[in-house]
Amino acid sequence: PGSETTSTTALRPLGQADSPIGIAASAQLIEAADQNVAAQDLDQAIANLRTAREQLNQVSGYYQTLVSVFSGIETRVADEARGLALEAAQLRDTATYQQALVHRAQNTPELAVPLLVQILQSQNPTRELGQQAYQQLFEIGFVELPYPAATAE
């Protein structure tokens, strides 16, 4: 049994944590960026987050292509690919948000704006991460109105 797992793992290199285009490898880059921030190495944090974002965007696109290829042909494959595309996109948006926060910490909010807008486009302002992105845009003065709008009581 142990050798089957080992041989199966060896035959599936993109499923490994060190795969250059896997979700796990990007998650490790995001964790490394967290450590970079804790060590005040903000330039390295941005580099790690940028790489993770690029990898996750690419991977999400590949999974979305698989969804379209298998839709109506093999539902299980399409459903799995849809879930993986969503997982990759969610992690990408998390990395994007963290990168925007690092830009704010570096006192370069103008570099955070396009990232925050990308998150809003992907997440929608009704989702928590979308609301957080809009809040950041509000805090840095890019937008004037808070969202959700405060209601008078």
Side-chain angles (χ1 to χ4, degrees), residues 73-96:
I73 296 172
E74 178 59 59
T75 305
R76 292 178 320 129
V77 173
D79 288 347
E80 179 195 38
R82 185 176 293 108
L84 290 167
L86 182 61
E87 179 183 349
Q90 185 68 36
L91 193 56
R92 176 204 60 214
D93 291 344
T94 298
T96 302

Side-chain angles (χ1 to χ4, degrees), residues 104-127:
R104 281 200 65 190
Q106 288 183 312
N107 202 25
T108 54
E110 67 279 3
L111 298 177
V113 170
L115 299 172
L116 295 167
V117 171
Q118 285 175 15
I119 294 165
L120 275 161
Q121 188 174 22
S122 176
Q123 289 288 314
N124 206 334
T126 58
R127 290 189 176 153

Side-chain angles (χ1 to χ4, degrees), residues 39-149:
Q40 294 298 309
D41 187 355
L42 301 183
D43 290 336
Q44 186 59 51
I46 285 179
N48 284 334
L49 291 166
R50 183 177 296 126
T51 300
R53 287 179 45 240
E54 290 168 358
Q55 288 176 352
L56 289 162
N57 199 47
Q58 189 175 41
V59 168
S60 179
Y62 292 155
Y63 285 127
Q64 289 171 0
T65 299
L66 289 177
V67 171
S68 66
V69 168
F70 282 96
S71 288
I73 296 172
E74 178 59 59
T75 305
R76 292 178 320 129
V77 173
D79 288 347
E80 179 195 38
R82 185 176 293 108
L84 290 167
L86 182 61
E87 179 183 349
Q90 185 68 36
L91 193 56
R92 176 204 60 214
D93 291 344
T94 298
T96 302
Y97 184 74
Q98 289 179 355
Q99 185 177 342
L101 294 180
V102 174
H103 283 305
R104 281 200 65 190
Q106 288 183 312
N107 202 25
T108 54
E110 67 279 3
L111 298 177
V113 170
L115 299 172
L116 295 167
V117 171
Q118 285 175 15
I119 294 165
L120 275 161
Q121 188 174 22
S122 176
Q123 289 288 314
N124 206 334
T126 58
R127 290 189 176 153
E128 183 178 350
L129 191 56
Q131 288 178 10
Q132 290 172 345
Y134 189 86
Q135 180 63 32
Q136 291 294 319
L137 290 171
F138 178 73
E139 287 177 12
I140 62 179
F142 186 74
V143 295
E144 296 298 319
L145 294 175
Y147 179 84

